[in-house]
mmCIF file with all atom_site columns, all heavy atoms in Angstrom:
data_model
loop_
_atom_site.group_PDB
_atom_site.id
_atom_site.type_symbol
_atom_site.label_atom_id
_atom_site.label_alt_id
_atom_site.label_comp_id
_atom_site.label_asym_id
_atom_site.label_entity_id
_atom_site.label_seq_id
_atom_site.pdbx_PDB_ins_code
_atom_site.Cartn_x
_atom_site.Cartn_y
_atom_site.Cartn_z
_atom_site.occupancy
_atom_site.B_iso_or_equiv
_atom_site.pdbx_formal_charge
_atom_site.auth_seq_id
_atom_site.auth_comp_id
_atom_site.auth_asym_id
_atom_site.auth_atom_id
_atom_site.pdbx_PDB_model_num
ATOM 1   N N   . TYR A 1 173 ? -7.970  0.613  -5.468 1.00 0.00 ? 173 TYR A N   1
ATOM 2   C CA  . TYR A 1 173 ? -8.910  -0.090 -6.321 1.00 0.00 ? 173 TYR A CA  1
ATOM 3   C C   . TYR A 1 173 ? -8.148  -0.746 -7.475 1.00 0.00 ? 173 TYR A C   1
ATOM 4   O O   . TYR A 1 173 ? -8.347  -1.988 -7.735 1.00 0.00 ? 173 TYR A O   1
ATOM 5   C CB  . TYR A 1 173 ? -9.805  0.891  -6.920 1.00 0.00 ? 173 TYR A CB  1
ATOM 6   C CG  . TYR A 1 173 ? -10.988 1.362  -5.984 1.00 0.00 ? 173 TYR A CG  1
ATOM 7   C CD1 . TYR A 1 173 ? -11.130 2.807  -5.784 1.00 0.00 ? 173 TYR A CD1 1
ATOM 8   C CD2 . TYR A 1 173 ? -11.868 0.584  -5.431 1.00 0.00 ? 173 TYR A CD2 1
ATOM 9   C CE1 . TYR A 1 173 ? -12.143 3.225  -4.993 1.00 0.00 ? 173 TYR A CE1 1
ATOM 10  C CE2 . TYR A 1 173 ? -12.894 1.048  -4.639 1.00 0.00 ? 173 TYR A CE2 1
ATOM 11  C CZ  . TYR A 1 173 ? -13.042 2.359  -4.341 1.00 0.00 ? 173 TYR A CZ  1
ATOM 12  O OH  . TYR A 1 173 ? -14.030 2.787  -3.560 1.00 0.00 ? 173 TYR A OH  1
ATOM 13  N N   . ALA A 1 186 ? -8.609  -4.882 1.372  1.00 0.00 ? 186 ALA A N   1
ATOM 14  C CA  . ALA A 1 186 ? -8.347  -3.603 0.785  1.00 0.00 ? 186 ALA A CA  1
ATOM 15  C C   . ALA A 1 186 ? -9.338  -2.573 1.420  1.00 0.00 ? 186 ALA A C   1
ATOM 16  O O   . ALA A 1 186 ? -10.469 -2.886 1.695  1.00 0.00 ? 186 ALA A O   1
ATOM 17  C CB  . ALA A 1 186 ? -8.539  -3.563 -0.734 1.00 0.00 ? 186 ALA A CB  1
ATOM 18  N N   . TYR A 1 187 ? -8.802  -1.312 1.584  1.00 0.00 ? 187 TYR A N   1
ATOM 19  C CA  . TYR A 1 187 ? -9.638  -0.334 2.227  1.00 0.00 ? 187 TYR A CA  1
ATOM 20  C C   . TYR A 1 187 ? -9.435  0.960  1.553  1.00 0.00 ? 187 TYR A C   1
ATOM 21  O O   . TYR A 1 187 ? -8.343  1.550  1.481  1.00 0.00 ? 187 TYR A O   1
ATOM 22  C CB  . TYR A 1 187 ? -9.184  -0.137 3.698  1.00 0.00 ? 187 TYR A CB  1
ATOM 23  C CG  . TYR A 1 187 ? -10.189 0.598  4.656  1.00 0.00 ? 187 TYR A CG  1
ATOM 24  C CD1 . TYR A 1 187 ? -10.774 -0.114 5.730  1.00 0.00 ? 187 TYR A CD1 1
ATOM 25  C CD2 . TYR A 1 187 ? -10.429 1.924  4.537  1.00 0.00 ? 187 TYR A CD2 1
ATOM 26  C CE1 . TYR A 1 187 ? -11.688 0.500  6.586  1.00 0.00 ? 187 TYR A CE1 1
ATOM 27  C CE2 . TYR A 1 187 ? -11.320 2.583  5.362  1.00 0.00 ? 187 TYR A CE2 1
ATOM 28  C CZ  . TYR A 1 187 ? -11.982 1.856  6.351  1.00 0.00 ? 187 TYR A CZ  1
ATOM 29  O OH  . TYR A 1 187 ? -12.824 2.483  7.307  1.00 0.00 ? 187 TYR A OH  1
ATOM 30  N N   . ALA A 1 188 ? -10.517 1.450  0.868  1.00 0.00 ? 188 ALA A N   1
ATOM 31  C CA  . ALA A 1 188 ? -10.469 2.676  0.046  1.00 0.00 ? 188 ALA A CA  1
ATOM 32  C C   . ALA A 1 188 ? -11.227 3.791  0.709  1.00 0.00 ? 188 ALA A C   1
ATOM 33  O O   . ALA A 1 188 ? -12.446 3.700  0.943  1.00 0.00 ? 188 ALA A O   1
ATOM 34  C CB  . ALA A 1 188 ? -10.974 2.360  -1.336 1.00 0.00 ? 188 ALA A CB  1
ATOM 35  N N   . ILE A 1 189 ? -10.560 4.962  0.931  1.00 0.00 ? 189 ILE A N   1
ATOM 36  C CA  . ILE A 1 189 ? -11.143 6.051  1.575  1.00 0.00 ? 189 ILE A CA  1
ATOM 37  C C   . ILE A 1 189 ? -11.285 7.300  0.627  1.00 0.00 ? 189 ILE A C   1
ATOM 38  O O   . ILE A 1 189 ? -10.261 7.667  0.005  1.00 0.00 ? 189 ILE A O   1
ATOM 39  C CB  . ILE A 1 189 ? -10.426 6.553  2.808  1.00 0.00 ? 189 ILE A CB  1
ATOM 40  C CG1 . ILE A 1 189 ? -10.183 5.384  3.806  1.00 0.00 ? 189 ILE A CG1 1
ATOM 41  C CG2 . ILE A 1 189 ? -11.121 7.652  3.513  1.00 0.00 ? 189 ILE A CG2 1
ATOM 42  C CD1 . ILE A 1 189 ? -9.269  5.784  4.946  1.00 0.00 ? 189 ILE A CD1 1
ATOM 43  N N   . TRP A 1 213 ? -13.242 -6.146 1.317  1.00 0.00 ? 213 TRP A N   1
ATOM 44  C CA  . TRP A 1 213 ? -13.179 -4.658 0.977  1.00 0.00 ? 213 TRP A CA  1
ATOM 45  C C   . TRP A 1 213 ? -13.954 -3.904 2.070  1.00 0.00 ? 213 TRP A C   1
ATOM 46  O O   . TRP A 1 213 ? -15.074 -4.318 2.470  1.00 0.00 ? 213 TRP A O   1
ATOM 47  C CB  . TRP A 1 213 ? -13.867 -4.447 -0.395 1.00 0.00 ? 213 TRP A CB  1
ATOM 48  C CG  . TRP A 1 213 ? -12.948 -4.664 -1.523 1.00 0.00 ? 213 TRP A CG  1
ATOM 49  C CD1 . TRP A 1 213 ? -12.678 -5.862 -2.160 1.00 0.00 ? 213 TRP A CD1 1
ATOM 50  C CD2 . TRP A 1 213 ? -12.136 -3.692 -2.124 1.00 0.00 ? 213 TRP A CD2 1
ATOM 51  N NE1 . TRP A 1 213 ? -11.808 -5.660 -3.182 1.00 0.00 ? 213 TRP A NE1 1
ATOM 52  C CE2 . TRP A 1 213 ? -11.407 -4.358 -3.202 1.00 0.00 ? 213 TRP A CE2 1
ATOM 53  C CE3 . TRP A 1 213 ? -11.932 -2.310 -1.972 1.00 0.00 ? 213 TRP A CE3 1
ATOM 54  C CZ2 . TRP A 1 213 ? -10.520 -3.724 -4.018 1.00 0.00 ? 213 TRP A CZ2 1
ATOM 55  C CZ3 . TRP A 1 213 ? -10.965 -1.657 -2.766 1.00 0.00 ? 213 TRP A CZ3 1
ATOM 56  C CH2 . TRP A 1 213 ? -10.379 -2.405 -3.812 1.00 0.00 ? 213 TRP A CH2 1
ATOM 57  N N   . THR A 1 214 ? -13.442 -2.715 2.315  1.00 0.00 ? 214 THR A N   1
ATOM 58  C CA  . THR A 1 214 ? -14.272 -1.639 2.868  1.00 0.00 ? 214 THR A CA  1
ATOM 59  C C   . THR A 1 214 ? -14.089 -0.365 2.027  1.00 0.00 ? 214 THR A C   1
ATOM 60  O O   . THR A 1 214 ? -13.022 0.038  1.670  1.00 0.00 ? 214 THR A O   1
ATOM 61  C CB  . THR A 1 214 ? -13.776 -1.225 4.296  1.00 0.00 ? 214 THR A CB  1
ATOM 62  O OG1 . THR A 1 214 ? -14.089 -2.349 5.153  1.00 0.00 ? 214 THR A OG1 1
ATOM 63  C CG2 . THR A 1 214 ? -14.430 -0.042 4.808  1.00 0.00 ? 214 THR A CG2 1
ATOM 64  N N   . ILE A 1 215 ? -15.260 0.114  1.637  1.00 0.00 ? 215 ILE A N   1
ATOM 65  C CA  . ILE A 1 215 ? -15.310 1.458  0.950  1.00 0.00 ? 215 ILE A CA  1
ATOM 66  C C   . ILE A 1 215 ? -15.806 2.441  1.920  1.00 0.00 ? 215 ILE A C   1
ATOM 67  O O   . ILE A 1 215 ? -16.864 2.308  2.534  1.00 0.00 ? 215 ILE A O   1
ATOM 68  C CB  . ILE A 1 215 ? -16.223 1.392  -0.288 1.00 0.00 ? 215 ILE A CB  1
ATOM 69  C CG1 . ILE A 1 215 ? -15.648 0.394  -1.332 1.00 0.00 ? 215 ILE A CG1 1
ATOM 70  C CG2 . ILE A 1 215 ? -16.370 2.717  -0.964 1.00 0.00 ? 215 ILE A CG2 1
ATOM 71  C CD1 . ILE A 1 215 ? -16.564 0.189  -2.534 1.00 0.00 ? 215 ILE A CD1 1
ATOM 72  N N   . ASP A 1 216 ? -15.024 3.463  2.149  1.00 0.00 ? 216 ASP A N   1
ATOM 73  C CA  . ASP A 1 216 ? -15.218 4.443  3.199  1.00 0.00 ? 216 ASP A CA  1
ATOM 74  C C   . ASP A 1 216 ? -15.237 5.874  2.619  1.00 0.00 ? 216 ASP A C   1
ATOM 75  O O   . ASP A 1 216 ? -14.287 6.302  1.962  1.00 0.00 ? 216 ASP A O   1
ATOM 76  C CB  . ASP A 1 216 ? -14.142 4.290  4.199  1.00 0.00 ? 216 ASP A CB  1
ATOM 77  C CG  . ASP A 1 216 ? -14.340 5.115  5.534  1.00 0.00 ? 216 ASP A CG  1
ATOM 78  O OD1 . ASP A 1 216 ? -15.167 6.035  5.496  1.00 0.00 ? 216 ASP A OD1 1
ATOM 79  O OD2 . ASP A 1 216 ? -13.668 4.851  6.530  1.00 0.00 ? 216 ASP A OD2 1
ATOM 80  N N   . CYS A 1 217 ? -16.315 6.504  2.829  1.00 0.00 ? 217 CYS A N   1
ATOM 81  C CA  . CYS A 1 217 ? -16.433 7.928  2.203  1.00 0.00 ? 217 CYS A CA  1
ATOM 82  C C   . CYS A 1 217 ? -17.419 8.780  2.966  1.00 0.00 ? 217 CYS A C   1
ATOM 83  O O   . CYS A 1 217 ? -18.555 8.363  3.292  1.00 0.00 ? 217 CYS A O   1
ATOM 84  C CB  . CYS A 1 217 ? -16.893 7.776  0.752  1.00 0.00 ? 217 CYS A CB  1
ATOM 85  S SG  . CYS A 1 217 ? -16.631 9.322  -0.174 1.00 0.00 ? 217 CYS A SG  1
ATOM 86  N N   . ALA A 1 227 ? -18.274 6.332  -4.828 1.00 0.00 ? 227 ALA A N   1
ATOM 87  C CA  . ALA A 1 227 ? -18.081 5.232  -3.780 1.00 0.00 ? 227 ALA A CA  1
ATOM 88  C C   . ALA A 1 227 ? -19.326 4.406  -3.661 1.00 0.00 ? 227 ALA A C   1
ATOM 89  O O   . ALA A 1 227 ? -19.204 3.062  -3.573 1.00 0.00 ? 227 ALA A O   1
ATOM 90  C CB  . ALA A 1 227 ? -17.678 5.919  -2.445 1.00 0.00 ? 227 ALA A CB  1
ATOM 91  N N   . VAL A 1 228 ? -20.497 4.982  -3.618 1.00 0.00 ? 228 VAL A N   1
ATOM 92  C CA  . VAL A 1 228 ? -21.742 4.230  -3.477 1.00 0.00 ? 228 VAL A CA  1
ATOM 93  C C   . VAL A 1 228 ? -21.860 3.295  -4.736 1.00 0.00 ? 228 VAL A C   1
ATOM 94  O O   . VAL A 1 228 ? -22.254 2.143  -4.638 1.00 0.00 ? 228 VAL A O   1
ATOM 95  C CB  . VAL A 1 228 ? -22.928 5.153  -3.311 1.00 0.00 ? 228 VAL A CB  1
ATOM 96  C CG1 . VAL A 1 228 ? -24.246 4.362  -3.489 1.00 0.00 ? 228 VAL A CG1 1
ATOM 97  C CG2 . VAL A 1 228 ? -22.866 5.926  -1.996 1.00 0.00 ? 228 VAL A CG2 1
ATOM 98  N N   . THR A 1 230 ? -19.612 2.139  -6.758 1.00 0.00 ? 230 THR A N   1
ATOM 99  C CA  . THR A 1 230 ? -18.653 1.027  -6.760 1.00 0.00 ? 230 THR A CA  1
ATOM 100 C C   . THR A 1 230 ? -19.052 -0.051 -5.809 1.00 0.00 ? 230 THR A C   1
ATOM 101 O O   . THR A 1 230 ? -18.943 -1.233 -6.072 1.00 0.00 ? 230 THR A O   1
ATOM 102 C CB  . THR A 1 230 ? -17.246 1.541  -6.385 1.00 0.00 ? 230 THR A CB  1
ATOM 103 O OG1 . THR A 1 230 ? -16.835 2.552  -7.338 1.00 0.00 ? 230 THR A OG1 1
ATOM 104 C CG2 . THR A 1 230 ? -16.237 0.460  -6.412 1.00 0.00 ? 230 THR A CG2 1
ATOM 105 N N   . TYR A 1 231 ? -19.527 0.378  -4.604 1.00 0.00 ? 231 TYR A N   1
ATOM 106 C CA  . TYR A 1 231 ? -20.069 -0.570 -3.593 1.00 0.00 ? 231 TYR A CA  1
ATOM 107 C C   . TYR A 1 231 ? -21.120 -1.402 -4.191 1.00 0.00 ? 231 TYR A C   1
ATOM 108 O O   . TYR A 1 231 ? -21.205 -2.654 -3.970 1.00 0.00 ? 231 TYR A O   1
ATOM 109 C CB  . TYR A 1 231 ? -20.448 0.177  -2.314 1.00 0.00 ? 231 TYR A CB  1
ATOM 110 C CG  . TYR A 1 231 ? -21.151 -0.643 -1.402 1.00 0.00 ? 231 TYR A CG  1
ATOM 111 C CD1 . TYR A 1 231 ? -20.560 -1.654 -0.635 1.00 0.00 ? 231 TYR A CD1 1
ATOM 112 C CD2 . TYR A 1 231 ? -22.543 -0.515 -1.141 1.00 0.00 ? 231 TYR A CD2 1
ATOM 113 C CE1 . TYR A 1 231 ? -21.108 -2.449 0.355  1.00 0.00 ? 231 TYR A CE1 1
ATOM 114 C CE2 . TYR A 1 231 ? -23.242 -1.350 -0.258 1.00 0.00 ? 231 TYR A CE2 1
ATOM 115 C CZ  . TYR A 1 231 ? -22.536 -2.319 0.518  1.00 0.00 ? 231 TYR A CZ  1
ATOM 116 O OH  . TYR A 1 231 ? -23.224 -3.040 1.455  1.00 0.00 ? 231 TYR A OH  1
ATOM 117 N N   . GLN A 1 232 ? -22.098 -0.787 -4.788 1.00 0.00 ? 232 GLN A N   1
ATOM 118 C CA  . GLN A 1 232 ? -23.235 -1.497 -5.383 1.00 0.00 ? 232 GLN A CA  1
ATOM 119 C C   . GLN A 1 232 ? -22.845 -2.439 -6.488 1.00 0.00 ? 232 GLN A C   1
ATOM 120 O O   . GLN A 1 232 ? -23.406 -3.542 -6.510 1.00 0.00 ? 232 GLN A O   1
ATOM 121 C CB  . GLN A 1 232 ? -24.252 -0.535 -5.957 1.00 0.00 ? 232 GLN A CB  1
ATOM 122 C CG  . GLN A 1 232 ? -24.948 0.380  -4.957 1.00 0.00 ? 232 GLN A CG  1
ATOM 123 C CD  . GLN A 1 232 ? -25.783 1.499  -5.506 1.00 0.00 ? 232 GLN A CD  1
ATOM 124 O OE1 . GLN A 1 232 ? -25.586 1.924  -6.636 1.00 0.00 ? 232 GLN A OE1 1
ATOM 125 N NE2 . GLN A 1 232 ? -26.781 1.890  -4.766 1.00 0.00 ? 232 GLN A NE2 1
ATOM 126 N N   . MET A 1 234 ? -19.906 -3.962 -6.513 1.00 0.00 ? 234 MET A N   1
ATOM 127 C CA  . MET A 1 234 ? -19.306 -5.096 -5.855 1.00 0.00 ? 234 MET A CA  1
ATOM 128 C C   . MET A 1 234 ? -20.233 -6.024 -5.262 1.00 0.00 ? 234 MET A C   1
ATOM 129 O O   . MET A 1 234 ? -20.133 -7.240 -5.332 1.00 0.00 ? 234 MET A O   1
ATOM 130 C CB  . MET A 1 234 ? -18.272 -4.519 -4.737 1.00 0.00 ? 234 MET A CB  1
ATOM 131 C CG  . MET A 1 234 ? -17.008 -3.859 -5.349 1.00 0.00 ? 234 MET A CG  1
ATOM 132 S SD  . MET A 1 234 ? -15.945 -3.339 -3.945 1.00 0.00 ? 234 MET A SD  1
ATOM 133 C CE  . MET A 1 234 ? -14.503 -2.817 -4.918 1.00 0.00 ? 234 MET A CE  1
ATOM 134 N N   . CYS A 1 241 ? -17.746 -7.162 0.702  1.00 0.00 ? 241 CYS A N   1
ATOM 135 C CA  . CYS A 1 241 ? -17.575 -5.759 0.678  1.00 0.00 ? 241 CYS A CA  1
ATOM 136 C C   . CYS A 1 241 ? -18.510 -5.049 1.745  1.00 0.00 ? 241 CYS A C   1
ATOM 137 O O   . CYS A 1 241 ? -19.606 -5.495 1.837  1.00 0.00 ? 241 CYS A O   1
ATOM 138 C CB  . CYS A 1 241 ? -17.763 -5.165 -0.685 1.00 0.00 ? 241 CYS A CB  1
ATOM 139 S SG  . CYS A 1 241 ? -17.562 -3.352 -0.766 1.00 0.00 ? 241 CYS A SG  1
ATOM 140 N N   . GLN A 1 242 ? -17.980 -4.056 2.500  1.00 0.00 ? 242 GLN A N   1
ATOM 141 C CA  . GLN A 1 242 ? -18.837 -3.289 3.334  1.00 0.00 ? 242 GLN A CA  1
ATOM 142 C C   . GLN A 1 242 ? -18.577 -1.774 3.040  1.00 0.00 ? 242 GLN A C   1
ATOM 143 O O   . GLN A 1 242 ? -17.617 -1.335 2.499  1.00 0.00 ? 242 GLN A O   1
ATOM 144 C CB  . GLN A 1 242 ? -18.502 -3.587 4.832  1.00 0.00 ? 242 GLN A CB  1
ATOM 145 C CG  . GLN A 1 242 ? -17.135 -3.143 5.283  1.00 0.00 ? 242 GLN A CG  1
ATOM 146 C CD  . GLN A 1 242 ? -16.853 -3.495 6.747  1.00 0.00 ? 242 GLN A CD  1
ATOM 147 O OE1 . GLN A 1 242 ? -17.471 -4.342 7.353  1.00 0.00 ? 242 GLN A OE1 1
ATOM 148 N NE2 . GLN A 1 242 ? -15.936 -2.807 7.379  1.00 0.00 ? 242 GLN A NE2 1
ATOM 149 N N   . PHE A 1 243 ? -19.620 -1.053 3.450  1.00 0.00 ? 243 PHE A N   1
ATOM 150 C CA  . PHE A 1 243 ? -19.595 0.462  3.120  1.00 0.00 ? 243 PHE A CA  1
ATOM 151 C C   . PHE A 1 243 ? -19.692 1.154  4.480  1.00 0.00 ? 243 PHE A C   1
ATOM 152 O O   . PHE A 1 243 ? -20.573 0.858  5.300  1.00 0.00 ? 243 PHE A O   1
ATOM 153 C CB  . PHE A 1 243 ? -20.794 0.814  2.236  1.00 0.00 ? 243 PHE A CB  1
ATOM 154 C CG  . PHE A 1 243 ? -20.644 2.228  1.748  1.00 0.00 ? 243 PHE A CG  1
ATOM 155 C CD1 . PHE A 1 243 ? -19.997 2.585  0.580  1.00 0.00 ? 243 PHE A CD1 1
ATOM 156 C CD2 . PHE A 1 243 ? -21.340 3.270  2.415  1.00 0.00 ? 243 PHE A CD2 1
ATOM 157 C CE1 . PHE A 1 243 ? -19.956 3.880  0.091  1.00 0.00 ? 243 PHE A CE1 1
ATOM 158 C CE2 . PHE A 1 243 ? -21.308 4.594  1.945  1.00 0.00 ? 243 PHE A CE2 1
ATOM 159 C CZ  . PHE A 1 243 ? -20.526 4.845  0.861  1.00 0.00 ? 243 PHE A CZ  1
ATOM 160 N N   . ARG A 1 244 ? -18.847 2.162  4.675  1.00 0.00 ? 244 ARG A N   1
ATOM 161 C CA  . ARG A 1 244 ? -18.817 3.002  5.847  1.00 0.00 ? 244 ARG A CA  1
ATOM 162 C C   . ARG A 1 244 ? -19.003 4.478  5.481  1.00 0.00 ? 244 ARG A C   1
ATOM 163 O O   . ARG A 1 244 ? -18.242 4.900  4.518  1.00 0.00 ? 244 ARG A O   1
ATOM 164 C CB  . ARG A 1 244 ? -17.531 2.817  6.645  1.00 0.00 ? 244 ARG A CB  1
ATOM 165 C CG  . ARG A 1 244 ? -17.449 3.783  7.815  1.00 0.00 ? 244 ARG A CG  1
ATOM 166 C CD  . ARG A 1 244 ? -16.156 3.720  8.528  1.00 0.00 ? 244 ARG A CD  1
ATOM 167 N NE  . ARG A 1 244 ? -16.037 4.716  9.580  1.00 0.00 ? 244 ARG A NE  1
ATOM 168 C CZ  . ARG A 1 244 ? -15.346 5.883  9.440  1.00 0.00 ? 244 ARG A CZ  1
ATOM 169 N NH1 . ARG A 1 244 ? -14.692 6.141  8.317  1.00 0.00 ? 244 ARG A NH1 1
ATOM 170 N NH2 . ARG A 1 244 ? -15.358 6.755  10.517 1.00 0.00 ? 244 ARG A NH2 1
ATOM 171 N N   . SER A 1 245 ? -19.835 5.166  6.088  1.00 0.00 ? 245 SER A N   1
ATOM 172 C CA  . SER A 1 245 ? -20.036 6.639  5.815  1.00 0.00 ? 245 SER A CA  1
ATOM 173 C C   . SER A 1 245 ? -20.470 7.313  7.062  1.00 0.00 ? 245 SER A C   1
ATOM 174 O O   . SER A 1 245 ? -21.460 6.840  7.716  1.00 0.00 ? 245 SER A O   1
ATOM 175 C CB  . SER A 1 245 ? -20.991 6.855  4.644  1.00 0.00 ? 245 SER A CB  1
ATOM 176 O OG  . SER A 1 245 ? -21.036 8.199  4.332  1.00 0.00 ? 245 SER A OG  1
#
Side-chain angles (χ1 to χ4, degrees):
Y173 285 124
Y187 198 112
I189 307 175
W213 278 87
T214 290
I215 296 176
D216 189 343
C217 194
V228 171
T230 301
Y231 170 71
Q232 292 172 335
M234 288 183 172
C241 181
Q242 65 182 21
F243 188 85
R244 172 185 177 260
S245 181

